[in-house]
Amino acid sequence: MQRLTTALAVTLLLSGCIEVPDNKLLSDGVPSIAGECIRPSASSTQVLPSSFSLLTWNIYKQQGDWQPELDRWLNNSELLLLQEARASDELHRWMHQQDYHWFQVAAFNWQGMSNGVLTAAKGQSTEVCGRRLLEPITRIPKSLLFSYYSVEGSEQQLLVVNLHAVNFSLRGRTYNAQLDIISEAIGDYAGPVIVAGDFNRWNGRRNAFLDRWVAKEGLTEALPRPDVRTRFLGYPLDAVFYRGLTLEQARSMASSASDHSALQVRFRVLPQTASGEK
């Protein structure tokens, strides 16, 4: 409860000095835009390998010593999903050094910097869409990022959803609304899907909401071994769910730089015969 109380106090304090920017999507390769979706140039897209690794982590606005931990964990991960990422020059330089192409949802600006979920990849995405959703109490936006990638040996594109779930939704309506936004994208999607990030699953009601949604969408949770994920009342806050993929390995890593542990998962995409058109 201390974590939640502290978080609420901080967000209420910050709510008076943040702004929601007009431009929603930020990137290393294209100008920021106000629209929800963008398709990078076809000439700049790259294909992910059929076996790839994904790392997801709530980076806590880079308030801790984040770089050594990422350097230690990455192991050439082709996909990097960050929640509570802050658009600092330091983070951008680091991603450039790692040869990552990235997109970020500018959920809100604080102290002149954008904050929100960020997805980076060794290969450029073919399409990216960002969404915001207001916390019902603090009125501070949370964010989602939908990214499509071509994968070696597969005619179908991989859809990766990066989520920072709403925290203070007393009756769960806004929490479920955010899951419904994801369902709009993945419900009828025939290709492989990953939904990962900070689900803020910190009580039995939220866990039940999430379990029902996962079953409805035909998703499977990648359970890490070892499992040292950050928990509240026994419920892990962060998770990776998938569909249409073969899970090869999953592990979690404790962090001293953030109040969240990280997850690293390796998947394999099997060759598909169906068209990858959405």
Side-chain angles (χ1 to χ4, degrees), residues 12-224:
L12 287 174
L13 176 64
L14 297 182
S15 62
C17 55
I18 71 166
E19 62 176 0
V20 179
D22 292 333
N23 286 344
K24 183 175 294 182
L25 283 175
L26 312 178
S27 171
D28 65 320
V30 297
S32 59
I33 65 168
E36 288 188 347
C37 297
I38 188 170
R39 293 186 176 184
S41 170
S43 62
S44 66
T45 59
Q46 298 172 338
V47 177
L48 293 177
S50 58
S51 178
F52 62 90
S53 178
L54 174 148
L55 179 74
T56 179
W57 186 33
N58 184 320
I59 199 171
Y60 196 50
K61 300 180 179 66
Q62 295 104 264
Q63 295 182 65
D65 194 11
W66 56 272
Q67 186 170 332
E69 295 197 340
L70 279 181
D71 288 339
R72 185 170 66 252
W73 294 335
L74 274 177
N75 295 326
N76 296 316
S77 293
E78 287 81 10
L79 291 166
L80 173 64
L81 280 62
L82 299 177
Q83 302 84 45
E84 291 194 32
R86 199 171 186 204
S88 67
D89 291 340
E90 184 182 17
L91 179 61
H92 293 167
R93 282 194 300 268
W94 179 86
M95 286 190 292
H96 178 73
Q97 293 167 359
Q98 301 294 325
D99 196 29
Y100 278 123
H101 302 286
W102 58 269
F103 280 87
Q104 179 176 5
V105 179
F108 61 89
N109 288 352
W110 177 52
Q111 294 183 339
M113 290 187 190
S114 295
N115 294 261
V117 296
L118 182 151
T119 300
K122 297 292 186 178
Q124 181 62 278
S125 54
T126 61
E127 182 177 355
V128 177
C129 295
R131 297 287 299 272
R132 299 170 179 147
L133 192 67
L134 286 178
E135 288 268 9
I137 296 177
T138 67
R139 310 306 292 171
I140 298 176
K142 286 294 194 293
S143 51
L144 305 97
L145 191 59
F146 302 82
S147 305
Y148 296 85
Y149 298 95
S150 298
V151 184
E152 180 184 11
S154 176
E155 296 182 5
Q156 295 180 316
Q157 292 185 341
L158 169 70
L159 170 54
V160 179
V161 184
N162 187 353
L163 165 71
H164 189 190
V166 296
N167 214 342
F168 306 107
S169 174
L170 297 181
R171 297 181 181 177
R173 293 176 183 173
T174 310
Y175 189 80
N176 283 315
Q178 202 170 26
L179 296 178
D180 289 342
I181 291 173
I182 300 175
S183 292
E184 293 172 6
I186 73 172
D188 295 325
Y189 188 69
V193 171
I194 297 172
V195 183
D198 177 1
F199 286 82
N200 274 316
R201 173 177 42 177
W202 44 259
N203 64 20
R205 173 182 285 185
R206 282 170 175 250
N207 189 61
F209 289 153
L210 189 58
D211 282 348
R212 286 196 294 268
W213 179 79
V214 165
K216 177 174 71 76
E217 298 300 342
L219 298 167
T220 300
E221 185 168 5
L223 297 175

Side-chain angles (χ1 to χ4, degrees), residues 5-6 17 50 96 112 159 226 256 265 270:
T5 303
T6 302
C17 55
S50 58
H96 178 73
L159 170 54
S256 60
V265 184
L270 300 179

